[in-house]
Amino acid sequence: MPKKVIFDVDPGIDDAVAVCIGLFNPDLEVVAVTSVGGNVSPAQAARNVQVILSQMDPPRWPRIGAGTAPEHGLPTEGRRIFGPDGLGGVPFDVAVRRDLRPSEKVICDEIRAAPEAVTILACGPLTNIARAFLRDPELPSLLGQLIIVGGTVSGPGNITPAAEFNIYCDPQAARTVFRTPCTKFLIPLDVTNQIELTLDVLTRIPEETTRVGRFVRKLLQAAFRGYRQELGLEAIRIHDVVGLVALTHPELFTFVEMAGDVETMGELTLGATVFDRRRVPAWRHNIAVATKVNKEAVLEEIIRSLHTAAEIAERQNPYCDGI
Ligand code: BDR
Ligand code: CA
């Protein structure tokens, strides 16, 4: 039976690629895609989710949730690598729906509908997940598993010297989620940064003649531009796609149980993830953290899963351009 999954995303090019792959993965049933502010505003994130779904047009659309800004607002200094619209400025038309349910409500409904069977892949700030936990206190015990892409263990952050972007955007929410007992996994920057895509990846992914190939190519080309212009880097990182591989192929990662929390007040360290790694720790283990990754195998899996997605999408609904 395919695994039920909710993608909670702030698209973001890496979020978008993860959703494309997930929608056509035969081992997954994407029951909902919920949007959250982060890379872009909540309204833009909701629009981008609709762009992804309308470009991919799966036979059965998942439910869509609309996020709203965190209680303390989003940081004004966002990540600029994906451009102001989050999808690299590539123009995509979409008829935006205004009647979407709040993301946290969609999350609660889907978990209640299939107790202990739903995985959430959290690819953005943890605003929606924390709200869902607060709205329905039984929810954490009904959730199958939560996979969080974010945080750092030993390395630097990517938005401040100390903090990773997703956690930094809503540290209060991240703390709530970290402190809530449930089965959770963290895929931190220390691991996601190790999977780098260089330009030659464009020779290995599905062709433009497929809907997946066409969409992903546009996005990745924009990501290469953004990384070069904003960071001076020739290689890109697609953190959220690595998170998806951790869900579908956990055997490619080493997980270590840790005791983690989030800094919510630090002047220099706001949004930093802190782990009690003393020889005699005082905190209890609350999260399994990916500490090692089989880099080559993850990269191969990303390429393989893109081809599978492209083939399945074509079989379900062939792509034709301008005919
Ligand atoms: C995370 O930050 C966002 O920009 C990406 O989409 C990813 O979820 C990595 O720090
Ligand atoms: Ca993201």
Side-chain angles (χ1 to χ4, degrees), residues 3-306:
K3 206 180 257 183
K4 291 182 192 297
V5 57
I6 298 173
F7 280 78
D8 189 64
V9 290
D10 63 330
I13 288 177
D14 55 342
D15 304 74
V17 175
V19 173
C20 289
I21 296 174
L23 285 172
F24 300 107
N25 183 325
D27 298 327
L28 301 179
E29 178 191 353
V30 182
V31 293
V33 182
T34 50
S35 58
V36 61
N39 282 314
V40 288
S41 70
Q44 182 74 42
R47 180 185 194 276
N48 290 353
V49 165
Q50 294 172 79
V51 165
I52 300 163
L53 290 173
S54 60
Q55 291 289 316
M56 292 301 103
D57 198 18
R60 195 156 157 238
W61 277 45
R63 286 186 72 191
I64 304 173
T68 50
E71 285 60 29
H72 307 286
L74 282 166
T76 44
E77 196 54 21
R79 293 197 86 192
R80 290 189 298 259
I81 41 178
F82 301 136
D85 70 352
L87 297 180
V90 184
F92 295 111
D93 279 342
V94 67
V96 177
R97 282 175 51 189
R98 307 262 166 228
D99 59 343
L100 297 174
R101 306 248 156 197
S103 289
E104 65 270 22
K105 166 100 174 68
V106 173
I107 291 171
C108 291
D109 290 351
E110 291 302 326
I111 294 171
R112 282 270 169 197
E116 295 174 31
V118 177
T119 294
I120 300 177
L121 179 61
C123 298
L126 294 171
T127 315
N128 295 335
I129 320 291
R131 284 184 185 155
F133 286 177
L134 296 172
R135 180 183 179 119
D136 182 349
E138 251 183 21
L139 207 72
S141 64
L142 301 174
L143 174 61
Q145 52 176 5
L146 170 62
I147 300 177
I148 301 167
V149 180
T152 67
V153 180
S154 310
N158 60 356
I159 184 71
T160 72
E164 181 278 333
F165 181 75
N166 286 341
I167 306 295
Y168 178 78
C169 280
D170 193 349
Q172 296 289 351
R175 170 170 277 194
T176 300
V177 172
F178 269 59
R179 289 186 172 188
T180 301
C182 65
T183 309
K184 46 184 175 307
F185 300 85
L186 189 75
I187 318 299
L189 272 187
D190 316 54
V191 159
T192 59
N193 271 344
Q194 292 185 42
I195 315 300
E196 285 196 335
L197 266 49
T198 44
L199 262 176
D200 61 306
V201 78
L202 297 175
T203 63
R204 300 194 58 203
I205 64 174
E207 291 300 330
E208 281 208 55
T209 47
T210 65
R211 84 188 50 214
V212 170
R214 187 175 162 91
F215 188 56
V216 168
R217 276 170 185 279
K218 283 184 184 162
L219 295 178
L220 291 184
Q221 277 157 356
F224 279 110
R225 268 198 308 279
Y227 269 76
R228 193 179 311 116
Q229 281 164 9
E230 294 297 329
L231 304 174
L233 296 176
E234 294 300 328
I236 62 170
R237 280 132 186 194
I238 48 174
H239 310 273
D240 299 333
V241 182
V242 179
L244 175 60
V245 178
L247 161 62
T248 56
H249 290 277
E251 72 282 359
L252 302 181
F253 299 77
T254 303
F255 288 91
V256 175
E257 290 293 335
M258 290 198 192
D261 206 336
V262 175
E263 176 58 75
T264 57
M265 303 218 293
E267 192 187 335
L268 300 175
T269 54
L270 181 71
T273 41
V274 180
F275 297 87
D276 189 350
R277 292 184 292 160
R278 289 173 285 184
R279 270 188 72 193
V280 185
W283 302 354
R284 287 239 187 102
H285 289 165
N286 60 351
I287 193 159
V289 181
T291 55
K292 289 190 188 145
V293 57
N294 181 337
K295 290 189 262 182
E296 293 73 27
V298 168
L299 187 54
E300 288 310 307
E301 174 52 27
I302 291 170
I303 290 167
R304 192 200 64 78
S305 61
L306 274 168

